[in-house]
Amino acid sequence: MTEQTHAFQNWAKERIDEMDAALASLEPKAKQAQAEAKAKADQLVSDLNQRRDQFRSKVEELARAGESALQASKAQLETQWNGFESQIKTYFETVGHQMEQQQATFRDVAAAQAKAWRETVDSIHEEVKKRAAAGRSDVDAVLKQMKSNAEQAEARLQKLKQAGGESWGALSAALSESRKAFDRANQEAWDALRRAAPPQA
């Protein structure tokens, strides 16, 4: 498996984990909604489930298709991801106005992001050990930076969790910023590993 494939898989897994966390947070609340709001909430959650399932299916299809298919289709997956995010925003604008529900969803999605950071650092570290990379100091430096970035992102998200009272827009923007930092760090780490040593057979 190439570094690009690893980076893509980490990227996709992080998005799917966020989708799962958001849905796990929203589904119970949709079931509790009042009659009129319940129909709308149920529909929005159903749409979110469908978007998540389509995203996951496309990722699995691309994983079987190989490296070139991954790179060519990432933009399409980004569009699907953006649609999922828009649907969550619609949910909060129409039926999920309660600040406590927004905060709970934020906490769950932030926890999924933090977990993705840790799992990615661990997977890259394991790959470094497998390869016994000659240029390991470069990779170690990138991993150290990635761990630091993860800690900073988690601290920023933790502050927002504790502050409360933030709008979904502000919470979503913080998640997006953390997600972009994750994407950059993930790619940089796999690029450094690729430069350091080829995969061992």
Side-chain angles (χ1 to χ4, degrees):
M1 194 177 311
T2 69
E3 290 79 8
Q4 288 302 331
T5 302
H6 282 293
F8 175 82
Q9 287 180 335
N10 290 339
W11 174 89
K13 183 182 181 316
E14 190 274 338
R15 297 308 192 275
I16 291 169
D17 288 350
E18 278 193 50
M19 290 172 162
D20 289 343
L23 282 162
S25 180
L26 296 176
E27 285 173 330
K29 294 294 183 185
K31 289 181 181 11
Q32 297 171 359
Q34 299 300 326
E36 185 179 316
K38 183 172 178 12
K40 183 71 172 167
D42 286 345
Q43 182 59 51
L44 287 166
V45 168
S46 176
D47 290 347
L48 285 166
N49 269 303
Q50 183 178 9
R51 287 175 185 273
R52 189 254 339 257
D53 292 346
Q54 288 171 344
F55 187 91
R56 181 180 285 142
S57 177
K58 184 68 174 176
V59 167
E60 290 168 358
E61 173 189 323
L62 292 172
R64 290 187 300 271
E67 179 92 22
S68 61
L70 296 178
Q71 295 309 313
S73 297
K74 190 171 179 186
Q76 180 185 8
L77 287 170
E78 283 282 3
T79 299
Q80 287 180 318
W81 167 255
N82 292 336
F84 184 87
E85 282 190 303
S86 293
Q87 194 74 9
I88 289 177
K89 182 180 176 192
T90 299
Y91 179 93
F92 285 128
E93 288 172 349
T94 59
V95 295
H97 296 293
Q98 303 88 0
M99 191 60 69
E100 66 200 35
Q101 184 178 3
Q102 293 177 18
Q103 288 288 325
T105 300
F106 172 77
R107 282 191 302 273
D108 293 345
V109 174
Q113 277 193 5
K115 183 179 177 215
W117 278 93
R118 288 188 297 273
E119 288 175 348
T120 298
V121 168
D122 291 346
S123 72
I124 293 168
H125 190 263
E126 285 303 310
E127 191 68 23
V128 168
K129 288 194 303 190
K130 278 190 229 172
R131 295 184 188 193
R136 186 170 175 158
S137 63
D138 292 340
V139 177
D140 287 341
V142 170
L143 273 174
K144 184 177 178 182
Q145 183 61 46
M146 187 174 194
K147 285 180 187 177
S148 174
N149 290 349
E151 290 165 1
Q152 291 171 13
E154 195 165 357
R156 281 191 301 273
L157 294 175
Q158 192 69 300
K159 277 184 184 177
L160 278 173
K161 281 189 222 179
Q162 293 170 353
E166 297 290 333
S167 70
W168 180 251
L171 297 173
S172 181
L175 291 168
S176 181
E177 180 183 319
S178 174
R179 193 177 305 113
K180 287 176 186 174
F182 170 82
D183 293 347
R184 279 191 307 275
N186 178 40
Q187 189 63 54
E188 288 171 5
W190 286 105
D191 288 347
L193 187 59
R194 178 183 39 78
R195 288 188 304 271
Q200 294 180 351

